[in-house]
mmCIF file of all heavy atoms in Angstrom:
data_model
loop_
_atom_site.group_PDB
_atom_site.id
_atom_site.type_symbol
_atom_site.label_atom_id
_atom_site.label_comp_id
_atom_site.label_asym_id
_atom_site.label_seq_id
_atom_site.Cartn_x
_atom_site.Cartn_y
_atom_site.Cartn_z
ATOM 1 N N LEU N 195 -7.439 -7.191 19.775
ATOM 2 C CA LEU N 195 -6.911 -5.829 19.313
ATOM 3 C C LEU N 195 -7.834 -4.983 18.793
ATOM 4 O O LEU N 195 -7.809 -3.773 19.059
ATOM 5 C CB LEU N 195 -5.750 -6.301 18.422
ATOM 6 C CG LEU N 195 -4.972 -5.008 17.767
ATOM 7 C CD1 LEU N 195 -4.299 -4.222 18.927
ATOM 8 C CD2 LEU N 195 -3.899 -5.523 16.758
ATOM 9 N N GLY N 196 -8.690 -5.570 17.816
ATOM 10 C CA GLY N 196 -9.667 -4.566 17.213
ATOM 11 C C GLY N 196 -10.584 -4.004 18.181
ATOM 12 O O GLY N 196 -10.778 -2.787 18.167
ATOM 13 N N GLN N 197 -11.148 -4.824 19.149
ATOM 14 C CA GLN N 197 -12.008 -4.250 20.233
ATOM 15 C C GLN N 197 -11.250 -3.132 21.058
ATOM 16 O O GLN N 197 -11.920 -2.173 21.411
ATOM 17 C CB GLN N 197 -12.423 -5.381 21.094
ATOM 18 C CG GLN N 197 -13.472 -5.000 22.069
ATOM 19 C CD GLN N 197 -14.790 -4.459 21.364
ATOM 20 O OE1 GLN N 197 -15.218 -4.905 20.283
ATOM 21 N NE2 GLN N 197 -15.502 -3.454 21.928
ATOM 22 N N ALA N 198 -10.030 -3.414 21.409
ATOM 23 C CA ALA N 198 -9.304 -2.497 22.222
ATOM 24 C C ALA N 198 -9.126 -1.171 21.459
ATOM 25 O O ALA N 198 -9.204 -0.061 22.053
ATOM 26 C CB ALA N 198 -7.939 -3.063 22.559
ATOM 27 N N ALA N 199 -8.854 -1.245 20.302
ATOM 28 C CA ALA N 199 -8.656 -0.028 19.458
ATOM 29 C C ALA N 199 -9.916 0.733 19.284
ATOM 30 O O ALA N 199 -10.019 1.906 19.316
ATOM 31 C CB ALA N 199 -8.095 -0.434 18.084
ATOM 32 N N ILE N 200 -11.064 0.006 19.086
ATOM 33 C CA ILE N 200 -12.404 0.694 18.978
ATOM 34 C C ILE N 200 -12.641 1.411 20.198
ATOM 35 O O ILE N 200 -13.172 2.608 20.169
ATOM 36 C CB ILE N 200 -13.425 -0.341 18.778
ATOM 37 C CG1 ILE N 200 -13.128 -1.097 17.407
ATOM 38 C CG2 ILE N 200 -14.845 0.312 18.719
ATOM 39 C CD1 ILE N 200 -14.063 -2.340 17.229
ATOM 40 N N MET N 201 -12.439 0.799 21.457
ATOM 41 C CA MET N 201 -12.708 1.389 22.648
ATOM 42 C C MET N 201 -11.781 2.714 22.817
ATOM 43 O O MET N 201 -12.254 3.831 23.372
ATOM 44 C CB MET N 201 -12.447 0.408 23.835
ATOM 45 C CG MET N 201 -13.422 -0.704 23.890
ATOM 46 S SD MET N 201 -15.104 -0.197 23.852
ATOM 47 C CE MET N 201 -15.221 0.630 25.420
ATOM 48 N N ALA N 202 -10.556 2.568 22.335
ATOM 49 C CA ALA N 202 -9.662 3.753 22.488
ATOM 50 C C ALA N 202 -10.197 4.865 21.579
ATOM 51 O O ALA N 202 -10.219 6.004 22.064
ATOM 52 C CB ALA N 202 -8.187 3.400 21.958
ATOM 53 N N ILE N 203 -10.733 4.534 20.338
ATOM 54 C CA ILE N 203 -11.153 5.470 19.455
ATOM 55 C C ILE N 203 -12.453 6.162 20.119
ATOM 56 O O ILE N 203 -12.493 7.372 20.188
ATOM 57 C CB ILE N 203 -11.547 4.867 18.138
ATOM 58 C CG1 ILE N 203 -10.396 4.423 17.463
ATOM 59 C CG2 ILE N 203 -12.366 5.887 17.211
ATOM 60 C CD1 ILE N 203 -10.645 3.552 16.137
ATOM 61 N N MET N 204 -13.309 5.267 20.628
ATOM 62 C CA MET N 204 -14.518 5.900 21.288
ATOM 63 C C MET N 204 -14.343 6.714 22.403
ATOM 64 O O MET N 204 -14.766 7.823 22.785
ATOM 65 C CB MET N 204 -15.466 4.758 21.519
ATOM 66 C CG MET N 204 -16.181 3.949 20.453
ATOM 67 S SD MET N 204 -17.024 2.580 20.901
ATOM 68 C CE MET N 204 -18.378 3.291 21.897
ATOM 69 N N GLY N 205 -13.216 6.380 23.216
ATOM 70 C CA GLY N 205 -12.879 7.052 24.418
ATOM 71 C C GLY N 205 -12.199 8.398 24.247
ATOM 72 O O GLY N 205 -12.322 9.293 25.009
ATOM 73 N N SER N 206 -11.653 8.642 23.036
ATOM 74 C CA SER N 206 -10.961 9.855 22.684
ATOM 75 C C SER N 206 -11.895 10.614 21.840
ATOM 76 O O SER N 206 -11.529 11.631 21.327
ATOM 77 C CB SER N 206 -9.741 9.448 21.723
ATOM 78 O OG SER N 206 -10.123 8.894 20.724
ATOM 79 N N SER N 207 -13.198 10.277 21.697
ATOM 80 C CA SER N 207 -14.285 11.057 21.097
ATOM 81 C C SER N 207 -13.984 11.297 19.601
ATOM 82 O O SER N 207 -14.373 12.413 19.120
ATOM 83 C CB SER N 207 -14.538 12.296 21.976
ATOM 84 O OG SER N 207 -14.947 12.126 23.271
ATOM 85 N N VAL N 208 -13.277 10.427 18.879
ATOM 86 C CA VAL N 208 -13.061 10.675 17.445
ATOM 87 C C VAL N 208 -14.382 10.318 16.790
ATOM 88 O O VAL N 208 -14.798 9.136 16.931
ATOM 89 C CB VAL N 208 -11.928 9.775 16.977
ATOM 90 C CG1 VAL N 208 -11.711 10.117 15.538
ATOM 91 C CG2 VAL N 208 -10.660 10.126 17.804
ATOM 92 N N GLN N 209 -14.771 11.148 15.855
ATOM 93 C CA GLN N 209 -16.039 10.982 15.163
ATOM 94 C C GLN N 209 -15.642 10.560 13.669
ATOM 95 O O GLN N 209 -14.885 11.256 13.040
ATOM 96 C CB GLN N 209 -16.820 12.321 15.206
ATOM 97 C CG GLN N 209 -17.383 12.737 16.595
ATOM 98 C CD GLN N 209 -18.225 11.641 17.176
ATOM 99 O OE1 GLN N 209 -19.146 11.134 16.505
ATOM 100 N NE2 GLN N 209 -18.137 11.333 18.427
ATOM 101 N N PHE N 210 -16.199 9.470 13.267
ATOM 102 C CA PHE N 210 -15.909 9.052 11.868
ATOM 103 C C PHE N 210 -17.311 9.239 11.050
ATOM 104 O O PHE N 210 -18.348 8.856 11.641
ATOM 105 C CB PHE N 210 -15.549 7.577 11.855
ATOM 106 C CG PHE N 210 -14.110 7.376 12.336
ATOM 107 C CD1 PHE N 210 -13.901 6.677 13.700
ATOM 108 C CD2 PHE N 210 -13.089 7.752 11.689
ATOM 109 C CE1 PHE N 210 -12.689 6.492 14.123
ATOM 110 C CE2 PHE N 210 -11.861 7.534 12.236
ATOM 111 C CZ PHE N 210 -11.680 6.876 13.352
ATOM 112 N N GLN N 211 -17.206 9.384 9.876
ATOM 113 C CA GLN N 211 -18.270 9.632 8.882
ATOM 114 C C GLN N 211 -18.172 8.431 8.002
ATOM 115 O O GLN N 211 -17.066 8.400 7.313
ATOM 116 C CB GLN N 211 -18.445 10.890 8.232
ATOM 117 C CG GLN N 211 -18.570 12.167 9.142
ATOM 118 C CD GLN N 211 -18.645 13.365 8.353
ATOM 119 O OE1 GLN N 211 -19.420 13.512 7.355
ATOM 120 N NE2 GLN N 211 -18.002 14.497 8.876
ATOM 121 N N ILE N 212 -19.225 7.561 7.902
ATOM 122 C CA ILE N 212 -18.997 6.422 7.033
ATOM 123 C C ILE N 212 -20.180 6.365 5.958
ATOM 124 O O ILE N 212 -20.464 5.310 5.528
ATOM 125 C CB ILE N 212 -19.029 5.145 7.845
ATOM 126 C CG1 ILE N 212 -20.334 4.979 8.658
ATOM 127 C CG2 ILE N 212 -17.813 4.930 8.780
ATOM 128 C CD1 ILE N 212 -20.588 3.695 9.405
ATOM 129 N N ASP N 213 -20.685 7.492 5.643
ATOM 130 C CA ASP N 213 -21.765 7.619 4.716
ATOM 131 C C ASP N 213 -21.345 7.801 3.294
ATOM 132 O O ASP N 213 -22.114 7.780 2.258
ATOM 133 C CB ASP N 213 -22.715 8.795 5.105
ATOM 134 C CG ASP N 213 -23.304 8.627 6.443
ATOM 135 O OD1 ASP N 213 -23.496 7.499 6.841
ATOM 136 O OD2 ASP N 213 -23.462 9.635 7.008
ATOM 137 N N PHE N 214 -20.097 7.848 2.996
ATOM 138 C CA PHE N 214 -19.538 8.218 1.737
ATOM 139 C C PHE N 214 -18.766 7.034 1.093
ATOM 140 O O PHE N 214 -18.027 7.142 0.041
ATOM 141 C CB PHE N 214 -18.587 9.555 1.747
ATOM 142 C CG PHE N 214 -19.146 10.616 2.487
ATOM 143 C CD1 PHE N 214 -18.640 11.210 3.592
ATOM 144 C CD2 PHE N 214 -20.380 11.199 2.007
ATOM 145 C CE1 PHE N 214 -19.296 12.235 4.278
ATOM 146 C CE2 PHE N 214 -20.929 12.255 2.567
ATOM 147 C CZ PHE N 214 -20.358 12.785 3.664
ATOM 148 N N THR N 215 -19.060 5.800 1.515
ATOM 149 C CA THR N 215 -18.263 4.642 0.990
ATOM 150 C C THR N 215 -18.549 4.537 -0.538
ATOM 151 O O THR N 215 -17.514 4.297 -1.112
ATOM 152 C CB THR N 215 -19.000 3.390 1.721
ATOM 153 O OG1 THR N 215 -18.636 3.568 3.071
ATOM 154 C CG2 THR N 215 -18.213 2.211 1.309
ATOM 155 N N ARG N 216 -19.675 4.616 -0.966
ATOM 156 C CA ARG N 216 -20.029 4.528 -2.360
ATOM 157 C C ARG N 216 -19.153 5.458 -3.252
ATOM 158 O O ARG N 216 -18.594 5.106 -4.190
ATOM 159 C CB ARG N 216 -21.364 4.447 -2.710
ATOM 160 C CG ARG N 216 -21.775 4.222 -4.107
ATOM 161 C CD ARG N 216 -23.414 4.309 -4.347
ATOM 162 N NE ARG N 216 -23.911 3.164 -3.514
ATOM 163 C CZ ARG N 216 -25.177 3.042 -3.497
ATOM 164 N NH1 ARG N 216 -26.121 3.803 -4.094
ATOM 165 N NH2 ARG N 216 -25.775 2.068 -2.655
ATOM 166 N N GLU N 217 -19.323 6.782 -2.768
ATOM 167 C CA GLU N 217 -18.624 7.724 -3.448
ATOM 168 C C GLU N 217 -17.142 7.646 -3.358
ATOM 169 O O GLU N 217 -16.367 7.777 -4.488
ATOM 170 C CB GLU N 217 -18.929 9.054 -2.768
ATOM 171 C CG GLU N 217 -20.389 9.579 -3.041
ATOM 172 C CD GLU N 217 -21.433 8.959 -2.195
ATOM 173 O OE1 GLU N 217 -21.021 8.109 -1.309
ATOM 174 O OE2 GLU N 217 -22.497 9.375 -2.197
ATOM 175 N N ASN N 218 -16.567 7.092 -2.277
ATOM 176 C CA ASN N 218 -15.129 6.880 -2.255
ATOM 177 C C ASN N 218 -14.729 5.788 -3.147
ATOM 178 O O ASN N 218 -13.636 5.963 -3.887
ATOM 179 C CB ASN N 218 -14.849 6.555 -0.811
ATOM 180 C CG ASN N 218 -15.076 7.465 0.252
ATOM 181 O OD1 ASN N 218 -15.076 8.583 -0.075
ATOM 182 N ND2 ASN N 218 -15.418 7.043 1.421
ATOM 183 N N GLU N 219 -15.399 4.700 -3.417
ATOM 184 C CA GLU N 219 -15.132 3.642 -4.134
ATOM 185 C C GLU N 219 -15.171 4.109 -5.561
ATOM 186 O O GLU N 219 -14.174 3.685 -6.476
ATOM 187 C CB GLU N 219 -15.923 2.440 -3.941
ATOM 188 C CG GLU N 219 -15.611 1.733 -2.517
ATOM 189 C CD GLU N 219 -14.292 1.169 -2.509
ATOM 190 O OE1 GLU N 219 -13.885 0.305 -3.333
ATOM 191 O OE2 GLU N 219 -13.446 1.665 -1.744
#
Side-chain angles (χ1 to χ4, degrees):
L195 175 60
Q197 186 63 31
I200 296 164
M201 296 305 295
I203 291 170
M204 293 174 65
S206 59
S207 300
V208 177
Q209 297 297 316
F210 289 110
Q211 299 181 44
I212 59 173
D213 299 329
F214 305 121
T215 300
R216 182 176 301 173
E217 287 83 354
N218 298 331
E219 288 301 292

